[in-house]
Structure formats: C-alpha cells, structure tokens
Amino acid sequence: MWFRHRRGAAAAALGAVAVILLPACSAEREESLVDADSLTIGVKDDQPGLGLDVNGELVGFDVDVAHYIAAHLGIEEVELVGITSAEREEKLVSGEVDMVVATYSITPGRKTEVTFGGPYYVAKQDILVRAEEDAVDGVRDLEGRSVCQGAGSNSAFRITDGLGIDVLELQEAETYSVCIERLSEGSVDAVSTDNLILAGFLAEDPDSFRFVNNPFTDEKYGVGLPHGDVAACEAVNKAVSEMYQDGTAVDLLEEWFGETDLEVVRTVPQFEGCD
C-alpha cells in the first residue's frame, strides 16, 4: 500500500534498512494515512450546506467534518478538492485523493474498493418537489412520475429496484445541482436523495420547493479511505466520537441546517467497524 503524502520519509528510509537486518519474523507495519504529513480530501463543491464553492472557498458541513478529522489526525496541511458522486471511488483508488468526505453512503459494493470510517452521520432518503406540487406525500406517490438522481448515486434505484415503484422516467444527471435545476424547470417531477442534501438546496430557494419530509431509508455517510487502511479507519472513528462528544457535530448541524425543518440526528452514529 502506498500513499502520496508520508510523514518522515527519511526516517522511513532508514527504518527500511534496519528492517533488512532484523530477523525474518519482524514485519514492517503497513503504511497508513495516520503517518501522513498532508492530506488531499475530496468533498462536494455544488451542494449547499454540505460542500459548496463560494467565491473559490469550499464551505459546508462535510468540509468542516473533513477539517475536524484531519486536525484529530494531527495533520495541518490539508488540500480540499471538489469531486462528484461518480468520481469518489475512482479518485480514491487511483490516489488522486487520500480521503473522501462527500455524502458518501456506505454500501457493501463500495466496501470492496474502499475502507470506510464512520459513519459520521446517518441521513435518511427523502423527496424534494416543486412548491406547488401537493400530491406527493411519500415515496409511493412517485409512481408514474419522473425522478432525477446524480450520476454515481444509488438513491433512485432504491425507489425502483429496492421498493419496486414504477416511476415514469428515471433521469440521471452529472450532479444533484443539475437535478435541482431540472426540477425547477419542470423537466422532472421530483428529486430523491439524502435529506441533508435536499435540505441544503431547499434552504437556498425555500419558495420554489417543498420538502416532503417522509423518509424511507437510512444513508450512512462514511469517510472514504484507501482500501485496507485499518489504522486510519480506527483513527477516524475516534475523531467522529470526539466530534459528537465535545458538541462540535451538533453545532455544525445547527449552523448549516438549523434554519430548515430538518430534524437532525444529534447522537454518535453506530460505527460499521474497520475489518
């Protein structure tokens, strides 16, 4: 396993020479992000309240969580880069980013390529419709309607494949911000994804949309890490626990979503485990 940003490269090189002289039973510990002296972290850059580019600065709940975790790891040099849902595994596996904090739901399929710390928040899937739409009160009301999801997301498939609801049309857009544009224009009837994402867009334009507020799945937001980096996963879980225990998590949720009708989760999520 190899990481782009390593702490103490010279010391590591000397250590490698020493290892050669040790008995064969001695094993060098695998490299981990906990040994890094800098991090490149992928976050969203088009989701209000979570990760949004505002005049060249990335801001939002996920951005703040990323900084908190990096500080807990003792890493001061942090570069944030914007990524889409479809890019998360690709950029993490390729090493373009060291960590992903980008509304990244933990799924069995993704676990085959990525090790997840957390979750740092458990969101719930819900629905956003236009403000004048009064006939959608739950997921079953999406039958015969068009629904948009972002590329790389599983949200709409949970409606069609998971619940067997026969939507009229399933559109896939590059990002959820494009889905919101289509909803506003009337080219789709609904956008369904995690309630934190929807609440952020609603807060941007509360007169144009209505939040159905009738959740139907749990979405465990994980911290994406290089596959097999158990040490980093354990360190991330400690950071997330501390973030809730010291009140930071609740403060951040209030800061970014306090003006919406979203009922946020304020307790430490149950971790998935790092094996």
Side-chain angles (χ1 to χ4, degrees):
M1 188 179 300
W2 179 83
F3 299 109
R4 295 181 303 112
H5 306 297
R6 292 184 294 174
R7 183 180 291 148
L14 292 173
V17 174
V19 167
I20 296 174
L21 303 177
L22 291 175
C25 61
S26 296
E28 186 179 6
R29 182 173 72 81
E30 285 193 3
E31 290 187 58
S32 168
L33 291 186
V34 299
D35 301 316
D37 52 18
S38 64
L39 286 176
T40 299
I41 304 178
V43 297
K44 294 292 182 66
D45 60 6
D46 69 332
Q47 291 183 348
L50 287 158
L52 185 67
D53 187 330
V54 178
N55 298 322
E57 180 184 4
L58 291 166
V59 298
F61 177 69
D62 279 0
V63 172
D64 291 340
V65 170
H67 280 301
Y68 187 98
I69 291 172
H72 191 275
L73 295 177
I75 300 172
E76 296 182 359
E77 186 179 338
V78 176
E79 178 187 5
L80 299 179
V81 296
I83 59 174
T84 66
S85 294
E87 295 173 332
R88 291 175 298 202
E89 280 104 75
E90 171 194 339
K91 290 189 178 293
L92 190 56
V93 171
S94 69
E96 290 183 63
V97 299
D98 304 305
M99 181 184 294
V100 172
V101 186
T103 62
Y104 201 5
S105 296
I106 301 171
T107 68
R110 289 170 178 167
K111 280 185 173 182
T112 64
E113 297 186 81
V114 173
T115 289
F116 282 101
Y120 62 92
Y121 189 79
V122 179
K124 295 182 181 295
Q125 187 168 343
D126 215 306
I127 303 164
L128 198 69
V129 295
R130 287 183 291 278
E132 65 272 16
E133 172 61 76
D134 58 4
V136 176
D137 295 315
V139 65
R140 295 288 170 187
D141 295 326
L142 295 179
E143 181 123 14
R145 298 175 186 272
S146 56
V147 180
C148 186
Q149 75 170 10
S153 173
N154 296 311
S155 296
F157 297 130
R158 294 192 181 97
I159 297 170
T160 56
D161 300 347
L163 298 175
I165 295 173
D166 186 16
V167 303
L168 175 66
E169 179 188 18
L170 173 55
Q171 294 187 20
E172 190 167 79
E174 182 181 357
T175 63
Y176 272 106
S177 59
V178 175
C179 280
I180 296 298
E181 290 174 8
R182 293 181 185 179
L183 179 63
S184 178
E185 295 166 355
S187 56
V188 296
D189 297 317
V191 177
S192 181
T193 188
D194 314 340
N195 54 6
L196 281 190
I197 296 175
L198 298 178
F201 284 116
L202 178 64
E204 289 276 286
D205 193 359
D207 294 330
S208 297
F209 306 111
R210 179 173 68 86
F211 185 44
V212 172
N213 206 10
N214 190 356
F216 52 94
T217 68
D218 286 341
E219 301 297 326
K220 300 175 181 179
Y221 286 174
V223 177
L225 303 165
H227 193 257
D229 194 345
V230 174
C233 175
E234 292 173 344
V236 165
N237 288 352
K238 289 179 181 178
V240 172
S241 292
E242 184 175 308
M243 185 176 69
Y244 279 86
Q245 291 166 359
D246 67 15
T248 299
V250 174
D251 289 344
L252 292 177
L253 289 164
E254 179 64 27
E255 175 183 352
W256 293 108
F257 304 104
E259 295 184 3
T260 71
D261 293 330
L262 181 67
E263 185 64 34
V264 298
V265 180
R266 299 169 179 268
T267 55
V268 183
Q270 182 175 348
F271 297 140
E272 290 282 296
C274 295
D275 296 335

